[in-house]
Amino acid sequence: MKNLEIALCDLDSNYVLKFANRLMMKANVGVHIFTTPEGFFSDETDFDVAIMTEEFEEISGFRPKGMIGHKYFLTEDSANVTDDFIYKFQAVDKILDEITELKEVTKSGISKKNSNEKSKLIGVYSPVNHELQLPFSMALGQAYRTGGKVLFVDLEEISIMPNLIGKNCERNLMDLLYLLNTNAEDMEDSLSEYVRSFMGFDYIEPFWNPNEISEIDEDTWDRFFEMLVKTDYDVVVVLFGRAINGFARYIERLNRLFVLGRPGDYFKKGQENFLDYLDRIKANISVENVILPMSAGNLSDGTYQLEELLQGNLGVFVRKLMNSNERNVLENYG
């Protein structure tokens, strides 16, 4: 069954982000957020469903490119409710219940895999330590979610993920690896105790102490990656840091490795050196060489929320990357 592509259009960015988060928790769909009519007008994506406030109604019929299947309008007038006009000021779940196209997707849920199948492992590594390597990896997790259930694992030695999400877990990856070393039986059931969810994908709390990751031996990492491919996740996205022992051994397990760089001659050299390294060790993996031109200058002061980043330019960049059949370096975004 084809995955639905849904456009959410509302001038209120806080509302539409919460709406998107709830939608992705309930259904396995692709979600695209627009907070200005101009942005929706210029986008060229085909949408199966568009859920929009009335400010977007007129312009939706004049988009020069990109088809829209079924339009639903969120109205503030409870007396104006029809099949396609839904009262906005009610619980999101009630709104979603009125979207005909979502009923079959929600009912079918995420496909369970055959026990003989393995999770697809997708890696991300930035030789130049791109400042957006973490959000890029999380955006990949969202993009892959249209193909099933996704787990994200952050193996940076210093991760700011808990700071960006705004929550901490009692148990983290170090605790899971300790359990894996002491009791390898029934680890799939134990894994669920360490997993949390954010914007449609699951994750494990990363290391707290920057020294911890370098203390893990190669045998433990081997057991960890062996466990990952046996989980019921369709895709596992792994962001690699610089301190993991036996790095070359684990990238051989990957179905694809995204090598993340940035514009500029200095950074280009670092990218080229790492790609040469992969050639020298004869790494038998599919490599996606990505030049990401954007930055995150407003993350630290709190004016740019992570949800906006994942659904904004970065999210669009990643979705275009995923949909592209080209395997060349992406020099420009557009």
Side-chain angles (χ1 to χ4, degrees), residues 66-79:
M67 302 294 294
I68 302 176
H70 195 164
K71 301 176 188 176
Y72 293 89
F73 301 98
L74 300 178
T75 178
E76 299 181 7
D77 183 1
S78 60

Side-chain angles (χ1 to χ4, degrees), residues 82-200:
T82 64
D83 287 344
D84 293 338
F85 282 77
I86 303 170
Y87 184 53
K88 177 178 178 179
F89 299 116
Q90 59 179 322
V92 172
D93 284 358
K94 291 186 177 180
I95 295 176
L96 297 179
D97 288 341
E98 298 186 44
I99 308 298
T100 304
E101 291 80 2
L102 286 176
K103 291 178 181 177
E104 184 62 31
V105 178
T106 305
K107 184 173 72 172
S108 61
I110 297 173
S111 60
K112 294 293 286 183
K113 298 191 302 176
N114 186 297
S115 60
N116 293 324
E117 292 184 296
K118 292 185 177 182
S119 302
K120 180 186 294 184
L121 291 183
I122 306 297
V124 179
Y125 180 73
S126 177
V128 300
N129 197 25
H130 198 295
E131 63 188 285
L132 285 179
Q133 60 186 5
L134 173 59
F136 176 86
S137 303
M138 296 170 75
L140 269 183
Q142 281 199 321
Y144 274 111
R145 187 179 176 274
T146 59
K149 191 177 177 183
V150 177
L151 175 67
F152 172 56
V153 180
D154 185 0
L155 296 184
E156 296 175 287
E157 54 275 16
I158 301 178
S159 175
I160 62 169
M161 184 178 181
N163 306 80
L164 295 180
I165 291 179
K167 62 179 74 171
N168 291 91
C169 308
E170 293 182 0
R171 299 176 177 180
N172 70 350
L173 185 54
M174 187 67 175
D175 300 315
L176 178 61
L177 292 174
Y178 175 79
L179 180 64
L180 184 62
N181 256 339
T182 56
N183 180 20
E185 300 297 325
D186 300 322
M187 279 303 299
E188 188 170 331
D189 293 334
S190 301
L191 179 63
S192 62
E193 300 177 10
Y194 293 82
V195 168
R196 298 293 182 270
S197 296
F198 178 75
M199 293 198 72

Side-chain angles (χ1 to χ4, degrees), residues 59 80 125 145 156 199 208 223 253 316 327 332:
I59 204 169
N80 191 31
Y125 180 73
R145 187 179 176 274
E156 296 175 287
M199 293 198 72
W208 294 335
R223 287 192 288 271
R253 293 176 175 265
V316 173
R327 291 296 174 260
N332 296 296

Side-chain angles (χ1 to χ4, degrees), residues 8-58:
L8 296 181
C9 309
D10 196 310
L11 301 179
D12 186 342
S13 59
N14 289 329
Y15 174 84
V16 77
L17 287 170
K18 292 177 181 177
F19 194 114
N21 192 30
R22 186 59 186 164
L23 172 57
M24 288 186 289
M25 289 176 63
K26 288 189 60 106
N28 186 23
V29 295
V31 179
H32 308 253
I33 287 176
F34 301 94
T35 56
T36 66
E38 295 78 12
F40 184 54
F41 177 80
S42 60
D43 188 87
E44 300 178 0
T45 306
D46 292 332
F47 298 113
D48 301 289
V49 174
I51 305 171
M52 63 184 72
T53 53
E54 291 167 307
E55 295 90 348
F56 292 80
E57 180 178 1
E58 182 177 356

